[in-house]
Amino acid sequence: MDVNVHAADPREHINEEPRNDFFDTTFGFLGMFGFMFVIFFALVIVKFIIS
């Protein structure tokens, strides 16, 4: 049985974008931290307004 299989070598990284994963992770962490920081202080202000 002859099957024409054209398996791509996974080491070629044809579809991989040339990005820096460290900076992507850093910006994601800092963005989420900033978002939670803003929410925290907004809720603290709401708590003081209510009480």
Side-chain angles (χ1 to χ4, degrees):
M1 180 173 185
D2 189 20
V3 179
N4 291 330
V5 176
H6 300 286
D9 188 355
R11 294 172 291 182
E12 291 179 3
H13 300 287
I14 298 171
N15 296 322
E16 185 173 331
E17 296 178 6
R19 301 189 63 164
N20 191 337
D21 291 335
F22 178 74
F23 284 120
D24 286 342
T25 305
T26 303
F27 291 143
F29 179 82
L30 291 176
M32 193 64 185
F33 180 80
F35 178 68
M36 291 296 175
F37 191 80
V38 168
I39 288 179
F40 171 76
F41 280 107
L43 291 177
V44 167
I45 290 170
V46 167
K47 180 183 182 301
F48 279 122
I49 290 173
I50 290 175
S51 62

